[in-house]
Amino acid sequence: MLSFGALTKNNVMSLTIGVLKESKDKRVAITPENIKRSKVKDATWWIEGGAGTDAGFSDSTYSGLATIKDKASILKGADIIVTIFPPSDNDCAQIHSGALLISQFRPYQDETVNAKLSQYPFRSLSMDMIPRTTLAQAMDVLSSMASIAGYKAVLTAAQNLPRYFPMMITSAGSIKPSKVLVIGAGVAGLQAIATSRKLGAVVEAFDVRSAAKEEVQSLGAKFVEVEGAKDDIGAGGYAVQQSEEYLARQRAEVQARASKADVIICTAQVRGRKAPVLIEAETVNNMRHGSVIVDLAASTGGNCALTQNDKTIQVNGVTIIGNSSLECEMPEDASQMYGNNILNLLSHITTEGALNLNMEDEIVKGSLIKP
Ligand code: NAD
């Protein structure tokens, strides 16, 4: 068991928790509302000046809850430092040896992360490595952010679509509801299905995990089954890589449906690997003019062969939006939810105001990159 914190005047342990301003994101890791709800006993909060401004939380909104500090003071003095993206190498070099840095390091995407963090004297915990268990659900940043991305993907598609989502019966004529195809029915995909249904679209969805079928159907969408998927319950709920033969059959099934779809939302991913390509260039060419593809898998290669990461392109009248960070476009609620996930983790790893990292604990074991 590792524990630390400073003694207050009353001999009670007290942690100083510092929040840095993100350099490439409007979100902030902790909002004033989060601090109000925090159960970490006697904690002192330090917020870097301007950290919450772009998410709608000016420095004055933290007044009475946190002290506004400069970055260097937080790096050198805080017991725990929380961020959304990992701090720069320069910033990491200033963090003191007793600190715990909590961020999203994505070691499953970048195999150099562990070695890099090992150079530093502080410890680091990766929010995106917390196991996807029932107990850890309230700390699951992957789920909270994916849910926002799925919602935003549908709104983005609707905004770019030159057609209605819902069926319309008006004196100027009747309009058929749009058809939405969702590829990958994990957290983002299920939220995309729910949002599309609320907007009145007709929805079909694919997934390789058998558990997804019932979830898709319960949201009022049709589950498209491609027989023979590898489904490994030992993979922690994640999909496993499928054979090339299976993916070819799936691509044919996608192609048959894509020509009738107005919108395709792509979310299919296999953790730690390149995303499967399920929409070929030929499939895009067969789509109706004005149709929209939103590819949330863009950063891991994309589910559409033509997707360009962080770019919106037009191919034969079809708009292809490659964006894997649509949660950043809803910074206020995204910050609130990220902060709640952090607080739930902090409650789990602190006792009586001191940090307690129990190395036997499944959540700590799974997420502590450098103990
Ligand atoms: P993800 O982002 O890794 O992948 C998105 C979806 O793509 C998954 O549903 C996956 O099965 C699917 N996929 C992969 N290859 C595909 C293919 N060839 N065709 C169609 N679909 C394909 O997944 P995620 O949203 O992060 O969820 C991962 C898992 O974690 C899910 O099983 C989810 O239910 C589970 N989960 C559990 C908890 C919990 O219990 N606390 C919380 C959140 C998520």
Side-chain angles (χ1 to χ4, degrees):
M1 191 99 81
L2 295 165
S3 62
F4 65 80
L7 286 177
T8 64
K9 283 184 207 141
N10 309 322
N11 275 356
V12 175
M13 292 295 270
S14 154
L15 285 170
T16 300
I17 306 169
V19 181
L20 295 180
K21 179 173 168 52
E22 298 296 318
S23 60
K24 46 181 180 182
D25 197 323
K26 288 181 176 172
R27 291 170 295 170
V28 60
I30 293 286
T31 69
E33 198 56 40
N34 294 145
I35 300 178
K36 277 185 212 159
R37 291 188 192 165
S38 166
K39 294 195 183 98
V40 185
K41 210 172 161 196
D42 296 312
T44 300
W45 292 88
W46 288 352
I47 309 286
E48 184 180 347
T53 309
D54 291 343
F57 308 105
S58 63
D59 288 352
S60 64
T61 61
Y62 289 93
S63 165
L65 299 166
T67 308
I68 303 299
K69 289 265 182 185
D70 61 278
K71 182 158 74 176
S73 307
I74 295 174
L75 295 172
K76 289 191 182 117
D79 298 313
I80 298 177
I81 298 171
V82 292
T83 67
I84 295 173
F85 283 104
S88 68
D89 291 350
N90 273 349
D91 291 348
C92 283
Q94 294 179 58
I95 298 177
H96 69 95
S97 60
L100 173 70
L101 174 63
I102 302 178
S103 189
Q104 298 180 99
F105 296 101
R106 301 179 196 275
Y108 47 88
Q109 272 177 12
D110 177 359
E111 56 194 23
T112 67
V113 162
N114 286 18
K116 211 162 149 188
L117 286 169
S118 299
Q119 304 163 37
Y120 300 114
F122 57 83
R123 286 168 288 170
S124 21
L125 186 150
S126 200
M127 290 302 289
D128 47 24
M129 290 299 287
I130 291 178
R132 312 290 286 277
T133 59
T134 307
L135 178 66
Q137 221 158 4
M139 311 165 199
D140 186 351
V141 290
L142 293 178
S143 288
S144 57
M145 297 303 112
S147 176
I148 297 176
Y151 166 79
K152 265 296 201 186
V154 173
L155 298 192
T156 306
Q159 248 174 344
N160 281 276
L161 189 70
R163 304 189 272 275
Y164 266 121
F165 254 57
M167 178 171 77
M168 289 299 221
I169 300 173
T170 76
S171 52
S174 300
I175 306 275
K176 282 189 190 158
S178 281
K179 288 204 167 100
V180 175
L181 187 60
V182 176
I183 303 182
V187 182
L190 289 173
Q191 186 55 252
I193 294 171
T195 309
S196 301
R197 294 284 299 138
K198 282 179 205 155
L199 285 180
V202 174
V203 186
E204 294 184 321
F206 282 89
D207 205 299
V208 287
R209 290 176 302 105
S210 53
K213 181 175 181 175
E214 214 172 295
E215 293 168 331
V216 166
Q217 288 172 339
S218 73
L219 292 169
K222 181 178 173 192
F223 186 73
V224 184
E225 205 151 2
V226 179
E227 295 284 321
K230 255 192 274 166
D231 189 4
D232 182 358
I233 49 164
Y238 291 103
V240 289
Q241 200 174 24
Q242 304 297 316
S243 68
E244 198 35 57
E245 183 270 332
Y246 175 88
L247 291 175
R249 280 193 292 122
Q250 207 185 3
R251 277 192 287 268
E253 204 57 62
V254 169
Q255 177 152 15
R257 284 172 160 78
S259 58
K260 295 183 198 107
D262 300 285
V263 168
I264 306 184
I265 309 283
C266 304
T267 77
Q269 306 215 57
V270 180
R271 192 162 151 111
R273 294 182 180 272
K274 192 180 169 306
V277 174
L278 298 168
I279 306 171
E280 292 172 305
E282 189 196 340
T283 305
V284 176
N285 288 337
N286 288 338
M287 288 178 74
R288 285 174 65 200
H289 191 277
S291 298
V292 180
I293 297 173
V294 181
D295 198 339
L296 295 182
S299 67
T300 51
N303 292 149
C304 174
L306 302 179
T307 294
Q308 291 184 27
N309 191 27
D310 290 332
K311 289 208 172 96
T312 295
I313 57 166
Q314 303 276 336
V315 179
N316 282 340
V318 175
T319 304
I320 305 175
I321 300 166
N323 191 334
S324 294
S325 41
L326 278 172
E327 64 276 15
C328 304
E329 295 183 16
M330 217 169 79
E332 184 179 325
D333 280 347
S335 301
Q336 210 77 264
M337 290 168 85
Y338 187 92
N340 279 335
N341 293 144
I342 293 267
L343 287 185
N344 291 326
L345 170 77
L346 290 177
S347 293
H348 186 75
I349 61 172
T350 54
T351 314
E352 290 299 309
L355 189 66
N356 267 320
L357 289 171
N358 177 3
M359 306 311 262
E360 301 302 311
D361 178 79
E362 194 185 316
I363 293 170
V364 174
K365 233 182 346 187
S367 58
L368 207 58
I369 288 200
K370 197 206 149 200

